[in-house]
């Protein structure tokens, strides 16, 4: 009741406190409600849900689909070359894919202005721009970490790099069937050393049949799960979806007599844009012409402090990525604080273990924090299930045909991306099918179930963080089998089970920066805001995923067999990442891992701490959001922690002294910073293709 009118609450609070001359419980309650609503308004400048539901809905037009699919196929084909040969800014690279924003900017700055001036009736409408962006976003990660980045290099790597030194020929090859990896040594050698472009298709057909089948069933389950969650997160919990804010602003209709969206006529936006663009112009030119002065964008803390115990955190990165500052400004203050706070807390744990010598006793701070993250993910699954308990009951009732007459209206799903019954049973049968397939192929049932449950957990965690916390890139240094290894060890599992689990977790959960589910939810949010028909969008998005998978598969194999993967040294893709699952499997088989109760204790701390913080925040308004615990240790936070800190600090100061008015006035400036980064990423991608030398605007 109080949250319906925040400004009325504020007036009531002032009058009441002036009369009573003291802060009573009601005063504190009113102040809490007012602050929460003001924070919500600051973080959610998008179209209100109620307004979005009453708007006209639009189908996807033929030309919007033609544009979207043309770019989906183009990006699928060029991604392997751009990302792993040139080492340009990745085509997708994060949860606000560079590719989607470059296409949107081309349409907004070049295509639509020309059409409006010379053939106005052919200009792309806002909902068409939204459709183009959304379909590209859905398929964006498939050519990279969303599917092929960790599968293609690892399939031929076992037979190419097996030797007496690493003992893979003894420990792994006897347990590697032809449907799991490439077993033809000539095909494996040709991929890594090159054949002039001749692809050994016969050697790849069997393993690709398994990996494609499993991937498509998993993606189908993810589509169903996202459809089941959409209403809960968008309408009931009203997640803020910060990553959708800038593209949505760019799709808006221009003011009367103008050529560009309203946001682009704000002067402060261009101040932010040119601040970011100038930085990348100088740094990019310095890459090609070393005499051009430029700011050094990457340093480490060890350059400034050293000695005991500071050496424990000497590798802490200090990196400059302006877009992260701009995106952090769009978050709620609590979430932004949580992200950098838990990273600093993780660094303090490293110092504590080093100072007291616990590391020397065999207790690893890295292990302890890593397994806290495992526990935090498990805690998040509990929170997601608990917060949506009413929604889940209604979905199950709908699927079983047990809907009561008084609930029929609230459970109508004609406008949902997938009908609830189809999504529920599709998710159920896809999950059971994956489990049955893995067990039938020789995987231990416990390991198969653990992989599937934890994979869903990872996808939900990344989606929750991206849509509610606005992280542009999410990575966690944990793996699905970490809890099983900690509790049971590995000696009770067969070598084939261990090999399969290591390959699966590397392929589908190791790197979350381009996974399907958060991008799918962001596309659904764009559809909701723009009035697009959700069901059409999801159907065409699924087709785009399949098309991108096959086109990028050919591009990956063509790149390897043409250039030789051993020559592609600018990223760790064909070396460390291709070796890691086999190194891990070898360690798990011989000498094997014993149960580790130190790691189990870390899991318990993370689980209890995450759930406890969440409940304390609900009951007592504790100003610490637990979201940062999940990503406190990971490559993405190592890259962005300082930028997140600066973004939080900027917002805190602006809101403290300028209030809501100050926040809104400077919001275009921070959106401009993001726009500048994305624009320069597109420009330097083109420059990289021309020169054969890349410059990365975002971390690789």
């Amino acid at each position: 009741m109080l949250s319906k009118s925040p400004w009325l609450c504020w007036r009531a609070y002032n009058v009441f406190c002036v009369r009573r001359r003291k802060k009573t419980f009601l005063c504190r309650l009113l102040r809490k409600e007012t602050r929460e609503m003001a924070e919500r308004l600051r973080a959610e400048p998008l179209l209100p849900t109620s307004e979005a539901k009453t708007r006209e809905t639009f189908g996807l037009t033929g030309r919007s689909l033609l544009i979207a699919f043309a770019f989906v196929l183009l990006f699928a084909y060029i991604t392997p070359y751009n990302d792993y040969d040139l080492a340009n800014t990745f085509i997708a690279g994060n949860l606000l894919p560079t590719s989607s924003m470059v296409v949107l900017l081309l349409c907004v700055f070049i295509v639509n202005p020309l059409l409006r001036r010379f053939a106005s009736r052919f200009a792309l409408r806002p909902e068409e721009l939204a459709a183009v962006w959304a379909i590209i976003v859905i398929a964006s990660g498939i050519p990279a970490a969303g599917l092929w980045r960790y599968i293609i290099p690892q399939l031929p790597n076992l037979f190419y790099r097996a030797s007496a030194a690493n003992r893979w020929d003894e420990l792994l090859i006897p347990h590697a069937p032809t449907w799991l990896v490439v077993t033809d040594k000539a095909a494996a050698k040709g991929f890594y050393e090159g054949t002039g472009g001749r692809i050994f298709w016969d050697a790849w057909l069997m393993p690709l049949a398994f990996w494609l089948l499993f991937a498509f069933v998993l993606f189908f389950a993810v589509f169903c799960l996202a459809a089941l969650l959409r209403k809960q997160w968008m309408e009931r919990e009203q997640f803020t979806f910060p990553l959708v804010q800038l593209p949505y602003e760019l799709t808006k209709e221009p003011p009367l007599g103008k050529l560009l969206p309203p946001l682009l006529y704000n002067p402060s936006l261009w101040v932010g844009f040119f601040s970011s663009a100038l930085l990348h112009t100088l740094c990019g030119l310095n890459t090609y012409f070393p005499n051009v002065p430029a700011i050094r964008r990457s340093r480490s803390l060890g350059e400034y402090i050293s000695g005991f115990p500071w050496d424990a955190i000497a590798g802490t990165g200090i990196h400059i990525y302006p877009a992260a500052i701009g995106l952090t400004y769009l978050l709620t203050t609590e979430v932004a604080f949580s992200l950098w706070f838990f990273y600093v807390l993780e660094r303090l744990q490293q110092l504590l273990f080093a100072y007291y010598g616990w590391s020397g006793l065999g207790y690893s701070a890295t292990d302890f924090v890593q397994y806290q993250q495992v526990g935090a993910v498990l805690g998040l699954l509990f929170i997601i299930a608990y917060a949506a308990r009413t929604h889940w009951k209604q979905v199950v009732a709908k699927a079983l045909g047990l809907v009561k007459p008084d609930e029929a209206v609230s459970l109508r799903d004609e406008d949902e991306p997938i009908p609830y019954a189809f999504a529920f049973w599709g998710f159920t049968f896809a999950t059971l099918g994956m489990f049955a397939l893995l067990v039938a192929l020789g995987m231990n049932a416990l390991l198969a179930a653990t992989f599937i449950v934890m994979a869903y957990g990872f996808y939900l965690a990344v989606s929750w963080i991206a849509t509610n916390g606005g992280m542009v890139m999410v990575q966690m240094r944990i793996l699905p089998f970490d809890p099983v290894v900690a509790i049971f060890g590995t000696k009770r599992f067969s070598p084939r089970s261990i090999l399969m689990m290591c390959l699966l977790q590397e392929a589908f959960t190791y790197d979350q920066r381009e996974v399907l589910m958060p991008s799918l939810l962001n596309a659904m949010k764009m559809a909701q805001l723009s009035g697009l028909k959700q069901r059409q969008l999801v159907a065409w998005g699924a087709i785009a995923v399949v098309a991108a998978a096959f086109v990028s598969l050919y591009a990956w194999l063509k790149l390897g067999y043409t250039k030789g993967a051993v020559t592609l040294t600018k990223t760790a893709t064909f070396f460390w990442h291709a070796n890691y699952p086999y190194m891990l499997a070898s360690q798990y088989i011989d000498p094997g891992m014993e149960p580790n109760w130190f790691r189990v204790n870390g899991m318990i701390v993370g689980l209890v701490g995450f759930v406890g913080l969440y409940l304390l925040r609900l009951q007592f308004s504790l100003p610490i959001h637990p979201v940062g615990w999940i990503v406190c240790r990971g490559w993405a936070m190592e890259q962005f922690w300082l930028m997140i800190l600066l973004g939080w600090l900027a917002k805190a100061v602006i809101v403290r002294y300028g209030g809501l008015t100050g926040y809104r006035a400077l919001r275009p400036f921070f959106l401009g910073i993001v726009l500048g980064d994305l624009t320069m990423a597109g420009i330097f991608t083109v420059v990289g293709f021309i020169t054969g030398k890349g410059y990365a605007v975002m971390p690789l």
Side-chain angles (χ1 to χ4, degrees), residues 68-327:
F69 273 83
F71 280 106
V72 164
L73 298 179
L74 172 65
F75 293 139
Y77 187 76
I78 68 174
T79 289
Y81 175 65
N82 176 84
D83 291 8
Y84 312 114
D85 185 11
L86 295 181
N88 262 331
T89 298
F90 285 173
I91 293 291
N94 56 71
L95 300 176
L96 181 61
T98 305
S99 54
S100 67
M101 293 304 300
V102 167
V103 173
L104 185 56
L105 292 173
L106 284 173
C107 292
V108 169
F109 280 102
I110 299 176
V111 176
N112 258 5
L114 289 174
L115 290 175
R116 287 193 175 101
R117 185 169 293 278
F118 300 108
S120 59
R121 66 193 181 95
F122 293 110
L124 293 166
R125 299 190 299 274
E127 64 272 14
E128 292 180 304
L129 292 172
V132 170
W133 181 85
I135 290 176
I136 293 174
V137 164
I138 291 172
S140 62
I142 300 302
L147 179 61
W148 289 129
R149 181 181 182 185
Y150 300 102
I151 293 178
I152 296 295
Q154 72 184 12
L155 294 190
N157 193 54
L158 174 60
F159 277 79
Y160 178 67
R161 290 200 169 99
S163 66
N166 57 33
R167 299 178 62 204
W168 292 357
D169 53 350
E170 170 192 347
L171 297 175
L172 302 179
I173 286 180
H175 310 288
T178 56
W179 53 262
L180 186 64
V181 299
V182 173
T183 56
D184 185 317
K185 291 186 178 181
K189 182 178 181 181
F191 179 81
Y192 273 96
E193 297 183 7
T195 63
R198 184 171 69 91
I199 300 173
F200 288 71
W201 285 110
D202 291 345
W204 285 84
L205 289 179
M206 281 286 288
L208 286 177
F210 165 75
W211 287 100
L212 277 170
L213 173 64
F214 191 88
F216 286 151
V217 175
L218 179 61
F219 291 162
F220 174 73
V222 167
F223 268 84
C224 293
L225 184 58
L228 293 173
L229 273 173
R230 188 209 68 82
K231 187 172 184 178
Q232 174 67 24
W233 284 5
M234 293 185 192
E235 298 179 16
R236 294 182 176 176
E237 296 186 54
Q238 296 189 12
F239 284 7
T240 56
F241 288 83
L243 301 181
V244 184
Q245 294 186 27
L246 177 60
Y248 175 63
E249 293 284 352
L250 293 175
T251 64
K252 288 183 176 180
E253 193 72 31
L256 187 63
K258 302 289 186 179
L259 298 177
L260 300 174
L263 176 67
L264 300 180
Y265 291 97
N266 191 304
S268 63
L269 176 129
W270 294 106
V271 175
F273 177 92
F274 286 113
S275 300
S276 177
L278 178 61
L279 168 70
H280 289 299
T281 299
L282 293 175
C283 294
L285 289 175
N286 179 262
T287 301
Y288 302 98
F289 309 103
N291 291 331
V292 175
I295 296 173
R296 184 178 162 196
R297 294 175 57 209
S298 294
R299 299 175 183 270
S300 67
L301 194 61
E303 298 178 33
Y304 305 99
I305 57 174
S306 60
F308 180 81
W310 305 108
D311 290 340
I313 59 171
T316 302
I318 301 174
H319 306 288
I320 300 176
Y321 297 108
I325 297 177
L327 290 169

Side-chain angles (χ1 to χ4, degrees), residues 5-20:
S5 179
W7 313 121
L8 182 61
C9 291
W10 181 249
R11 289 194 63 188
Y13 161 71
N14 281 325
V15 171
F16 188 81
C17 289
V18 166
R19 289 181 179 179
R20 295 295 298 272

